[in-house]
Amino acid sequence: MLRITSATLYTCSQRVRLLLPPSASTSTEISPSKRVENQRTVDSLYELSVDIRKVRKFRGWVLSESSAYVSETADLLRDMGADTTAIAHILETHPEAILCRPEDVATQRDLWLSVCPSKRQLMNIIEKFPASFFTLTHHGNQRANILYLQNLRLSKRIISKLMASAPQSFSQPVERNQEVIHTLREIYLDLGGEDSNLRVWLQKLLSQNPYILLRPAEAWRDSLGFLREKGFTTEELLSLVSSLRASIAELKPEDMQRAMDYIEAALCCSKEELKQVVIRCPAILYYSLATLLGRFQGLMDAGVTMEQVKESPNVLELTTQIVLYRIQKLASYGYDIRSGSLDVIVGTKKDFEASYGKLQLRQQRPLFNPVAPLKSAEE
């Protein structure tokens, strides 16, 4: 009886096993969704003191690639002056670097060294922008764009900053960058700028906003054409372009129109007064309506008047929380913002601390009476 039962159980178990899916098998097969890690890659990274858990968490797929150049990448970085800590940091931040072929990395290094004074300076850039350096695409475009910008007599510092912050602008065909630069030159000269100062002006724009070259030339023409129709003079337009750090090319005419319509209605100002508000606070052109509404309402709730905002429109650059904090800070020293100027609270934190310090010093310093008798130290 026992022999029959055992045979029956064995037969049933075999049938059940045939019905089970492969993933339920007791074999050591790995699910396709979970790739096997390249143990050699893991060991090599571990020897370099790289945090494997961090790589596995954010870029786990890198560890599964069959081809990796861990030691070669580390040697190239070491040759540029990187120490053990820097190498580990770079490979943790951008582990995709180990997938780049050594010859491609060497070519990239030579390209970047053409605008970097030394390997040490290049290494400083790589530590901050590893993804930009290890984006090894379109070496021909990169070389052509570097040569073009050098021919414009732009400084190496500006070019290297552009390569680090906006590498896409160097991967695109040089003709696109030439078109944007040509448009900027036309705008600058059309707005009254002098050709002799063009290089300095262009370097300042590129330094302030490295993404300029990624904006289509048409965007510049549309934005400036809109503001010109609003009555801004050439001198005012040039000031706006410089103040907005070239982000004016990111603004759409319809968005600027909505912002200006709101400010005009909220401050009950004329067209000319609106122009002066925009000139003194260009940032309102790219704030959303929700942001402008929230900040203006916060000022009204704090007891600020429309006339005060009109006189010091830069206050709209501050968040409501910062405005309230500064008003309370000044109130503790007897300064009533409702009866004074808003200029004392606008500006950076450093600007405010300077204004606040003057008020504090004024309160603590006793008034000097020139006719009062002097007291000796003994008295």
Side-chain angles (χ1 to χ4, degrees), residues 26-72:
T26 56
S27 66
T28 57
E29 294 181 6
I30 304 298
S31 172
S33 61
K34 186 177 181 181
R35 300 172 59 187
V36 179
E37 292 182 350
N38 186 331
Q39 193 59 44
R40 183 179 178 182
T41 300
V42 174
D43 293 341
S44 298
L45 290 173
Y46 182 78
E47 291 175 1
L48 293 170
S49 301
V50 175
D51 189 342
I52 303 297
R53 291 175 298 179
K54 184 177 179 180
V55 176
R56 189 175 285 129
K57 180 179 180 181
F58 297 104
R59 297 288 192 278
W61 62 271
V62 173
L63 302 176
S64 302
E65 294 297 310
S66 57
S67 298
Y69 307 93
V70 181
S71 60
E72 294 88 345

Side-chain angles (χ1 to χ4, degrees), residues 199-257:
R199 184 178 65 88
V200 176
W201 180 76
L202 188 59
Q203 284 198 150
K204 182 178 180 181
L205 286 186
L206 292 172
S207 176
Q208 293 174 334
N209 189 341
Y211 302 99
I212 288 177
L213 297 178
L214 297 176
R215 310 302 176 205
E218 294 77 13
W220 287 90
R221 300 189 187 101
D222 293 343
S223 298
L224 288 173
F226 167 81
L227 292 173
R228 196 188 298 273
E229 291 176 358
K230 294 299 176 181
F232 289 93
T233 65
T234 54
E235 183 179 356
E236 291 168 344
L237 286 174
L238 185 59
S239 174
L240 285 174
V241 172
S242 301
S243 299
L244 289 171
R245 299 182 177 182
S247 60
I248 193 170
E250 304 171 12
L251 303 176
K252 297 180 179 179
E254 54 268 28
D255 293 335
M256 290 189 285
Q257 182 67 63

Side-chain angles (χ1 to χ4, degrees), residues 67-228:
S67 298
Y69 307 93
V70 181
S71 60
E72 294 88 345
T73 304
D75 288 342
L76 282 164
L77 293 173
R78 197 175 290 112
D79 178 64
M80 287 185 280
D83 56 19
T84 303
T85 303
I87 293 173
H89 170 72
I90 291 170
L91 298 185
E92 286 173 8
T93 306
H94 190 72
E96 296 95 323
I98 65 174
L99 305 180
C100 301
R101 295 188 306 171
E103 56 268 31
D104 292 334
V105 178
T107 301
Q108 188 81 334
R109 176 200 59 199
D110 295 341
L111 277 173
W112 285 55
L113 281 175
S114 66
V115 295
C116 291
S118 65
K119 289 183 178 180
R120 181 65 259 177
Q121 183 172 343
L122 174 57
M123 195 63 246
N124 291 336
I125 294 176
I126 296 174
E127 288 185 53
K128 296 178 182 178
F129 305 94
S132 297
F133 178 79
F134 285 102
T135 303
L136 310 180
T137 58
H138 305 98
H139 280 146
N141 287 345
Q142 290 188 54
R143 189 175 292 105
N145 280 302
I146 290 173
L147 182 61
Y148 170 64
L149 295 178
Q150 287 177 331
N151 289 337
L152 291 176
R153 297 187 299 116
L154 299 183
S155 70
K156 290 185 175 182
R157 182 183 64 84
I158 296 297
I159 298 176
S160 61
K161 182 177 180 178
L162 287 173
M163 294 177 70
S165 303
Q168 309 93 317
S169 60
F170 285 80
S171 298
Q172 64 187 6
V174 67
E175 291 78 13
R176 291 189 58 182
N177 289 334
Q178 289 174 336
E179 182 183 5
V180 175
I181 294 295
H182 179 71
T183 300
L184 290 174
R185 180 178 182 276
E186 285 184 335
I187 290 172
Y188 179 71
L189 296 178
D190 186 49
L191 296 181
E194 298 181 2
D195 202 6
S196 58
N197 296 326
L198 174 62
R199 184 178 65 88
V200 176
W201 180 76
L202 188 59
Q203 284 198 150
K204 182 178 180 181
L205 286 186
L206 292 172
S207 176
Q208 293 174 334
N209 189 341
Y211 302 99
I212 288 177
L213 297 178
L214 297 176
R215 310 302 176 205
E218 294 77 13
W220 287 90
R221 300 189 187 101
D222 293 343
S223 298
L224 288 173
F226 167 81
L227 292 173
R228 196 188 298 273

